Amino acid sequence: MVTLAEVAQHAGVSASTVSYVLSGKRSISANTRQRVEESIQRLGYHPNAGARALASSRSNIIALMVPLRTDMYVPVMMEIAIAVATTARTHGYDVLLLTGEEGPDAVRRVAGSGLADGMILMDVELEDDRLPLLRGVDAPEAPGGARPGLRADQPAVLIGLPADTSGLTCVDLDFRATGALCVGHLAKLGHRDIAVIGEAPAVYERHTGFAERTLDGLRSEARELGVRLLHRPCGGGYDAMAVTLARILDERPDTTGFVVQNESAVEPLLALLRQQGRAVPEDVSVVAVCPEQVAVQASVRLTSVAIPAQEMGRYAVEHLVAKLDGRGEDVVVLIAPELTVRASSGPAPARA
Amino acid sequence: MVTLAEVAQHAGVSASTVSYVLSGKRSISANTRQRVEESIQRLGYHPNAGARALASSRSNIIALMVPLRTDMYVPVMMEIAIAVATTARTHGYDVLLLTGEEGPDAVRRVAGSGLADGMILMDVELEDDRLPLLRGVDAPEAPGGARPGLRADQPAVLIGLPADTSGLTCVDLDFRATGALCVGHLAKLGHRDIAVIGEAPAVYERHTGFAERTLDGLRSEARELGVRLLHRPCGGGYDAMAVTLARILDERPDTTGFVVQNESAVEPLLALLRQQGRAVPEDVSVVAVCPEQVAVQASVRLTSVAIPAQEMGRYAVEHLVAKLDGRGEDVVVLIAPELTVRASSGPAPARA
DNA sequence: TTGAAAGCGCTAACAC
DNA sequence: GTGTTAGCGCTTTCAA
């Protein structure tokens, strides 16, 4: 193993000089710099991560906590994770992959051991166990008063919005606006009865923020525009979708607009509508909230609001890095939704 | 930050004693152990990862290199990654997430810096840049002779099989046997003309091992059983599938059996067959190589060979940990495929 | 069964 | 612009 001392010797300079060449924290003559860099190349030197972390109290590692469950949005999660990893690298950080399994303990462990300098949490629930640990020091105490050791003092960014964002930095698609946008689009086309096909019931039961906030947006915009709205959670697959669709059409036969927020329900819905002789978009319109790829590859090219996975991952890292650099405050970043009109939505048919 | 020294003082013992209580590397009296453990609890002590890594030359981190591209099997990748992370934790390791982007440099960087103790590589290609760095010392030298610094001396396990596995440990589904199994199943049902719908052309172009090995298995079994086989790569989505299917039926109108190895082609295929009035499984049979969930949630429950993502992730970690513990040799672990018969395959229709 | 102490390789004062 | 040096917190001999 090549050490900094060996590089120093080889280049005929002191250890600190090598260190400073590496960090750029003080000016080095062109000559010296070149000799050192040459020695580094020649010897194939790589700074030891542990030693560096110990001496500098910085690991240059960001922890990313991904949900253990894979009952939804797996490709989105993956895309976010990859965006986080690549963005982190451009800032000189590596990414540690944690699963939600360990829960709050993982936060304590990673923060306590100095394994990571900061963390990014995905799949945040409205009331999340891990949040009390992560709130900034200026956040109001939890009811019950100060509990020592409750703070991990770990810079963090959430992907997703909890109920209470005080003292936290969050990045997310503005799902409330997304819901409103979908209803608005359909309403403008004349649809008066809209059905929302949502995530699996479990997603709502555990109070996943994005699902509930989308629903909020859908409902309030529907109220605003005088449109009737029916929401039904729906598991993935054909059988679940068949049941759900039947119920919806039974309860609201005049439904002409659908909003789908569930990747694995998209194709079943289209197939079932086709099977029932309802043409898209002539008879019914469908708007999806899903990754771009799903919208484009579906059997009918879907009018959709894309989930900007890459952007979320990138923003999360950039805000975290800003915090680690002492810049950066606690903010909530809501990415504005964009609705792309494709082939699945059109004017509502004339009323019977 | 609580240090080991503080714990020692609090417990009235020496630093080394605390260290040994933690590592279990020498016997400690029950009394002492208890006092130390109590102090650890009380002070909320977590050993510093950097210091530990520096002193022990072990980071207790496993690096996982995932493919940057997300043109295939994303849910499988994610499932493997999660299985790796959870299994690693049970062995006391954390997981560092690397993307394929950096290529061989990432291997050098991670190995050289001691950031990780070992690595797991996914999406290995038949001829992979990163492999020369990872081969064991007993492996034959690359043609061209010994090149110093070519070895990273990094214990590694591959998920997937390269062309040359000498000096490497690999874990994978036996895709050759998988291909044979699929053809065998269809042949036994009387199908004599089988079409294979494969991954996107790009996957074959970059010589991804599993795709080519599946094809091998399909072809040799077809030859063996006297069955005609036509292979066509196919991108995801309806449009690509429509073109591919039309070509296949044009070239081989008697095709009654399909093998699909492409998640995003499964549903389009079923929809198109339906649309053309070909009933599954009465007129044509379909066998898929895909994750269990896809097979079960498809519009027709698919006869399939499941991709054992969890198992692959788990085995990879276990073999790597064995290597790190000084146990464990270089082996190729091929997981035997299992074909589950569902509703998409049946006897070939009587010949016209 | 326990303690004392010498590093592990690097960073960042502090000197010049 | 460069060198000297004191730690960072832990592991692990060596000694008792």
Side-chain angles (χ1 to χ4, degrees):
Chain A
M1 202 212 148
V2 187
T3 70
L4 183 146
E6 298 177 77
V7 173
Q9 189 171 17
H10 185 269
V13 298
S14 73
S16 60
T17 298
V18 177
S19 176
Y20 284 118
V21 166
L22 255 30
S23 70
K25 287 188 180 169
R26 78 181 183 192
S27 49
I28 304 283
S29 75
N31 185 341
T32 304
R33 149 166 290 116
Q34 192 176 342
R35 283 217 318 287
V36 170
E37 279 168 351
E38 213 174 292
S39 298
I40 289 177
Q41 284 300 320
R42 274 272 234 299
L43 302 180
Y45 168 72
H46 289 271
N48 180 284
R52 189 170 253 191
L54 176 57
S56 66
S57 310
R58 302 288 242 94
S59 65
N60 278 287
I61 288 177
I62 289 172
L64 174 69
M65 239 171 134
V66 304
L68 190 60
R69 339 179 178 75
T70 52
D71 58 349
M72 56 172 211
Y73 282 93
V74 179
V76 177
M77 300 282 173
M78 191 76 177
E79 206 178 331
I80 293 177
I82 289 176
V84 165
T86 53
T87 309
R89 283 303 305 143
T90 71
H91 291 274
Y93 287 87
D94 273 292
V95 171
L96 199 76
L97 183 69
L98 304 175
T99 64
E101 195 183 31
E102 285 181 276
D105 285 348
V107 176
R108 288 196 197 86
R109 187 171 63 83
V110 168
S113 66
L115 229 188
D117 297 331
M119 50 196 317
I120 295 174
L121 274 66
M122 296 173 62
D123 192 37
V124 176
E125 298 175 13
L126 285 177
E127 307 292 341
D128 199 297
D129 284 359
R130 302 164 296 185
L131 299 187
L133 287 166
L134 297 172
R135 281 186 208 285
V137 280
D138 49 337
E141 287 295 340
R147 280 191 271 159
L150 203 66
R151 295 262 159 80
D153 250 330
Q154 178 82 332
V157 172
L158 315 185
I159 296 183
L161 283 194
D164 173 11
T165 63
S166 61
L168 297 171
T169 294
C170 311
V171 173
D172 206 355
L173 174 63
D174 188 338
F175 279 99
R176 230 179 163 287
T178 299
L181 198 55
C182 293
V183 166
H185 175 71
L186 289 172
K188 208 182 304 168
L189 289 168
H191 298 273
R192 286 282 155 271
D193 265 286
I194 296 177
V196 179
I197 292 161
E199 297 283 353
V203 174
Y204 296 92
E205 277 155 23
R206 76 172 101 105
H207 297 293
T208 310
F210 81 89
E212 304 208 350
R213 284 183 298 118
T214 308
L215 204 49
D216 267 8
L218 289 161
R219 284 188 176 140
S220 63
E221 187 75 359
R223 208 174 307 122
E224 190 96 351
L225 301 178
V227 165
R228 302 222 300 162
L229 195 81
L230 182 68
H231 169 251
R232 288 289 173 266
C234 181
Y238 277 77
D239 299 345
M241 187 67 241
V243 173
T244 304
L245 183 60
R247 288 225 193 104
I248 289 172
L249 293 177
D250 183 50
E251 190 166 344
R252 297 274 172 89
D254 291 339
T255 300
T256 58
F258 287 89
V259 177
V260 199
Q261 181 174 214
N262 182 338
E263 296 181 323
S264 53
V266 163
E267 209 46 62
L269 174 63
L270 294 174
L272 288 162
L273 289 173
R274 212 177 291 133
Q275 194 179 308
Q276 303 189 354
R278 297 179 197 248
V280 174
E282 292 77 7
D283 301 327
V284 298
S285 288
V286 176
V287 177
V289 180
C290 68
E292 195 105 3
Q293 204 201 353
V294 172
V296 171
Q297 289 200 349
S299 52
V300 179
R301 289 169 49 86
L302 294 172
T303 294
S304 74
V305 174
I307 297 176
Q310 302 223 14
E311 222 171 332
M312 296 200 288
R314 196 159 49 77
Y315 283 3
V317 171
E318 282 165 0
H319 276 87
L320 184 54
V321 169
K323 277 193 177 185
L324 295 175
D325 289 352
R327 312 173 280 118
E329 340 86 85
D330 289 335
V331 282
V332 173
V333 180
L334 288 183
I335 300 172
E338 288 178 29
L339 187 141
T340 304
V341 179
R342 297 200 183 82
S344 69
S345 63
R351 295 283 196 140
Chain B
M1 203 212 148
V2 187
T3 70
L4 181 148
E6 298 177 78
V7 173
Q9 188 171 18
H10 186 268
V13 298
S14 74
S16 59
T17 298
V18 176
S19 177
Y20 284 118
V21 166
L22 253 31
S23 70
K25 287 189 180 169
R26 77 180 182 193
S27 50
I28 303 282
S29 74
N31 186 341
T32 305
R33 149 165 290 117
Q34 192 177 342
R35 284 218 317 286
V36 170
E37 279 168 351
E38 212 174 292
S39 299
I40 288 176
Q41 285 300 321
R42 273 270 236 299
L43 302 180
Y45 168 73
H46 288 272
N48 180 284
R52 188 168 255 193
L54 177 56
S56 66
S57 310
R58 303 286 242 100
S59 64
N60 278 288
I61 288 177
I62 288 173
L64 174 69
M65 239 170 132
V66 304
L68 189 60
R69 338 180 179 74
T70 52
D71 58 350
M72 56 172 210
Y73 283 90
V74 179
V76 177
M77 301 281 173
M78 190 76 178
E79 207 178 330
I80 293 177
I82 289 176
V84 165
T86 53
T87 308
R89 283 304 304 144
T90 71
H91 291 274
Y93 287 87
D94 273 292
V95 171
L96 198 75
L97 183 70
L98 303 175
T99 65
E101 196 182 31
E102 284 182 277
D105 285 348
V107 176
R108 289 196 195 86
R109 187 171 64 83
V110 169
S113 65
L115 229 187
D117 297 332
M119 50 196 316
I120 295 174
L121 273 66
M122 298 174 60
D123 192 36
V124 176
E125 299 176 12
L126 284 178
E127 306 292 341
D128 200 296
D129 284 359
R130 303 164 295 186
L131 299 187
L133 288 165
L134 297 173
R135 283 186 207 283
V137 279
D138 49 337
E141 285 296 339
R147 280 192 271 159
L150 203 66
R151 294 263 159 78
D153 251 331
Q154 178 82 333
V157 172
L158 315 186
I159 296 183
L161 283 195
D164 173 11
T165 62
S166 62
L168 296 171
T169 294
C170 313
V171 173
D172 206 355
L173 174 62
D174 188 339
F175 279 100
R176 229 178 164 288
T178 299
L181 199 55
C182 293
V183 166
H185 175 71
L186 289 172
K188 205 182 306 167
L189 289 168
H191 298 272
R192 287 282 156 270
D193 266 286
I194 296 176
V196 179
I197 293 161
E199 298 283 353
V203 174
Y204 296 91
E205 278 155 22
R206 76 172 101 105
H207 296 293
T208 309
F210 80 89
E212 304 209 349
R213 285 184 297 117
T214 308
L215 204 49
D216 267 8
L218 289 161
R219 285 189 175 141
S220 63
E221 187 75 359
R223 208 175 308 122
E224 189 96 354
L225 302 177
V227 165
R228 301 220 303 160
L229 195 81
L230 181 68
H231 170 251
R232 288 288 172 267
C234 181
Y238 277 77
D239 300 344
M241 188 66 241
V243 172
T244 304
L245 183 59
R247 289 225 193 104
I248 289 173
L249 293 177
D250 183 49
E251 190 167 344
R252 298 273 172 89
D254 291 339
T255 299
T256 58
F258 287 90
V259 177
V260 199
Q261 180 173 214
N262 181 337
E263 295 181 325
S264 53
V266 163
E267 209 45 63
L269 174 64
L270 294 174
L272 288 163
L273 288 173
R274 212 177 291 132
Q275 194 179 306
Q276 303 189 354
R278 297 178 198 249
V280 174
E282 292 78 7
D283 302 327
V284 297
S285 288
V286 176
V287 176
V289 180
C290 68
E292 195 104 3
Q293 204 200 355
V294 171
V296 172
Q297 289 201 350
S299 52
V300 179
R301 289 170 49 86
L302 294 172
T303 294
S304 73
V305 174
I307 296 177
Q310 301 222 15
E311 222 170 331
M312 298 199 287
R314 197 158 48 78
Y315 283 3
V317 171
E318 282 165 0
H319 277 87
L320 185 55
V321 170
K323 279 193 175 186
L324 295 175
D325 289 351
R327 310 174 282 118
E329 341 87 86
D330 289 335
V331 281
V332 174
V333 180
L334 289 183
I335 300 172
E338 289 179 27
L339 186 141
T340 303
V341 179
R342 298 201 181 81
S344 69
S345 64
R351 298 282 195 138

